[in-house]
């Protein structure tokens, strides 16, 4: 097999209203129900103190209603800069990492995935991505308030966390053709369309 290198990117931006919404979102997330994830096999190890991944398609969660108006502005700008028109948010969830929590190598569904670093003190476990071209890893140098977007098929992980809690909001979305958007709406597969 021959691999053909095609230029691709990780989009890195910032939620402009981060300082305004940070504490409100953290409060609402702290008040929200969540699950704990603890699993491992020969390929990955996951230990996440609190997450609501199982409710990722529920747009009625209090923190989601608070976040979406701020999130949409940033995400729409990124998607347009990438050359797409519109997006269909498939799901969105939070993950809170305490000391030594980690999320092993994995991929997501949909066309793109992203991470918003809601609570990200210096020294917290960073996100690493693995290029499908050369299988080399790259650490994302993000700061609190930043948002990154990359193709969902890129293998990625969250490095083990430090003593300070880290809270991220993760999400998956498609950039649909009109036919795909129509089919998603018919099957009610799309959480929100922008």
């Amino acid at each position: 097999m021959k691999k053909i290198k095609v230029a691709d990117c990780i989009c890195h931006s910032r939620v402009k209203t981060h300082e305004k919404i940070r504490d409100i979102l953290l409060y609402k997330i702290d008040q929200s129900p969540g699950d704990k994830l603890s699993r491992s096999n020969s390929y990955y190890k996951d230990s996440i103190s609190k997450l609501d991944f199982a409710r990722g398609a529920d747009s009625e969660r209090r923190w989601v209603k608070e976040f979406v108006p701020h999130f949409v502005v940033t995400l729409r700008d990124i998607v347009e800069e990438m050359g797409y028109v519109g997006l269909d948010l498939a799901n969105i969830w939070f993950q809170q990492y305490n000391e030594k929590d980690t999320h092993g190598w994995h991929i997501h569904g949909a066309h793109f995935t992203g991470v918003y670093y809601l609570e990200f003190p210096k020294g917290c476990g960073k996100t690493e991505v693995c290029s499908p071209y050369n299988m080399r890893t790259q650490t994302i140098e993000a700061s609190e308030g930043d948002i990154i977007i990359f193709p969902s098929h890129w293998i990625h992980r969250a490095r083990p966390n430090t003593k300070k809690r880290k809270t991220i909001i993760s999400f998956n979305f498609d950039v649909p053709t009109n036919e795909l958007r129509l089919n998603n709406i018919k099957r009610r597969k799309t959480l929100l369309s922008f």
Side-chain angles (χ1 to χ4, degrees):
M1 177 189 78
K2 177 181 177 182
K3 289 185 178 181
I4 300 170
K5 189 173 185 175
V6 176
D8 207 339
C9 66
I10 297 168
C11 297
H12 187 163
S13 190
R14 182 163 182 81
V15 174
K16 294 172 182 71
T17 56
H18 171 72
E19 285 74 18
K20 177 181 174 184
I21 63 172
R22 179 192 185 275
D23 292 339
I24 296 166
L25 286 175
L26 286 171
Y27 175 79
K28 289 184 178 188
I29 286 171
D30 286 343
Q31 302 303 309
S32 297
D35 303 312
K36 182 175 175 60
L37 179 62
S38 182
R39 64 182 181 185
S40 63
N41 65 26
S42 60
Y43 185 68
Y44 61 82
K45 178 184 178 196
D46 291 331
S47 176
I48 302 172
S49 291
K50 185 177 178 184
L51 71 159
D52 71 345
F53 177 78
R55 291 171 282 290
D58 178 4
S59 62
E60 295 301 310
R61 289 167 290 164
R62 289 178 59 218
W63 73 266
V64 173
K65 286 179 154 184
E66 183 74 38
F67 182 52
V68 165
H70 302 273
F71 172 64
V72 169
V73 173
T74 303
L75 193 55
R76 190 179 292 136
D77 288 347
I78 293 169
V79 168
E80 287 176 7
E81 182 70 25
M82 291 166 53
Y84 300 108
V85 178
L87 64 105
D88 289 342
L89 186 64
N91 50 8
I92 185 168
W93 65 97
F94 70 79
Q95 293 180 187
Q96 288 188 317
Y97 296 81
N98 290 327
E99 185 176 5
K100 296 183 182 176
D101 282 354
T102 188
H103 196 175
W105 292 110
H106 64 284
I107 61 172
H108 290 230
H111 296 140
F112 292 94
T113 192
V115 178
Y116 167 50
Y117 298 91
L118 174 60
E119 181 180 38
F120 197 62
K122 289 197 184 295
C124 281
K126 296 181 180 181
T127 303
E128 281 186 327
V129 296
C130 181
S131 166
Y133 176 72
N134 58 18
M135 301 308 288
R136 290 191 185 142
T137 61
Q138 178 176 343
T139 301
I140 305 301
E141 296 298 331
S143 300
E144 187 174 286
D146 287 357
I147 188 170
I148 60 168
I149 307 283
F150 53 92
S152 293
H153 68 272
W154 279 33
I155 303 168
H156 59 284
R157 70 175 174 176
R159 303 274 306 154
N161 199 38
T162 59
K163 292 180 181 179
K164 297 177 182 175
R165 185 177 77 174
K166 171 177 91 171
T167 305
I168 63 152
I169 294 175
S170 194
F171 51 92
N172 297 324
F173 67 93
D174 288 310
V175 285
T177 63
N178 286 337
E179 183 179 328
L180 177 61
R181 177 166 277 179
L182 181 61
N183 287 335
N184 283 344
I185 290 169
K186 284 180 184 175
R187 287 183 263 144
R188 298 193 187 281
K189 208 173 139 183
T190 300
L191 178 62
L192 299 168
S193 293
F194 307 106

